[in-house]
Amino acid sequence: AAGMAAPTMEERKACWGARDEFWQCLDSHGDDAAKCEKLRRAFESRCPQTWVKHFDKRRDFLKYKKKLETEGYHPPEADGKS
């Protein structure tokens, strides 16, 4: 297993490829992680653990951002007052 050494270009490509496949799977299954378990495992095995954490956070952020863009921002206190 690789230690803290920086991943080679090949390893980075493998990691990003696995991430993209996993994310595409999530996108096409409405984020049903159970349907994408195999791809999740490939993603985790091909990427350093710190990257997996980073990409998970990034995906949550991108989803949140997209939600804001499509639905707009609704401050909690504005609900019910129009």
Side-chain angles (χ1 to χ4, degrees):
M4 289 309 293
T8 64
M9 194 61 215
E10 286 304 304
E11 289 168 334
R12 287 202 296 272
K13 276 189 186 143
C15 169
W16 292 331
R19 174 204 61 189
D20 292 346
E21 281 178 25
F22 173 55
W23 282 11
Q24 275 170 351
C25 178
L26 288 176
D27 287 341
S28 60
H29 289 103
D31 275 336
D32 183 352
K35 291 208 167 65
C36 306
E37 210 172 316
K38 232 198 265 147
L39 291 170
R40 171 80 197 184
R41 281 202 295 272
F43 166 51
E44 287 182 353
S45 69
R46 287 188 194 142
C47 299
Q49 193 53 47
T50 51
W51 289 27
V52 171
K53 285 200 188 86
H54 167 77
F55 287 139
D56 284 346
K57 279 202 197 88
R58 175 128 188 91
R59 182 171 168 85
D60 286 343
F61 170 73
L62 292 172
K63 279 192 342 214
Y64 175 70
K65 219 176 102 185
K66 187 179 259 168
K67 194 174 151 129
L68 287 187
E69 283 161 11
T70 53
E71 298 171 18
Y73 176 68
H74 302 294
E77 67 275 6
D79 285 351
K81 291 189 205 127
S82 50

